[in-house]
Amino acid sequence: MSERAAPFYCPYCGDEDLRPSEQGHGAWECAACNRAFQLKFLGLLARGVQPSEGGGDEI
């Protein structure tokens, strides 16, 4: 990825008033709930995406 991915919502309160934090790469601050959090991409899973066999949820 060449650009920094930005979160759209705070994971704690759901507000959209987010700003990059000075704490480092991937760190964000929420002005609404006054919390700071960090996002980190861990990597791809070895199993990949598996299609579901049923084609949908059963009722």
Side-chain angles (χ1 to χ4, degrees), residues 6-7 9 11 16 19 25 40 49 53 57 59:
Y9 303 99
E16 299 177 4
R19 297 184 178 106
H25 181 71
K40 182 178 179 181
V49 176
E53 304 234 351
D57 294 337
I59 298 178

Side-chain angles (χ1 to χ4, degrees), residues 11-58:
Y12 298 100
C13 71
D15 200 85
E16 299 177 4
D17 192 5
L18 301 176
R19 297 184 178 106
S21 176
E22 297 177 0
Q23 297 299 317
H25 181 71
W28 294 86
E29 297 174 356
C30 177
C33 68
N34 203 31
R35 288 187 170 115
F37 59 94
Q38 187 170 17
L39 301 176
K40 182 178 179 181
F41 178 71
L42 298 177
L44 297 174
L45 299 175
R47 67 177 185 265
V49 176
Q50 305 276 332
S52 63
E53 304 234 351
D57 294 337
E58 292 185 25

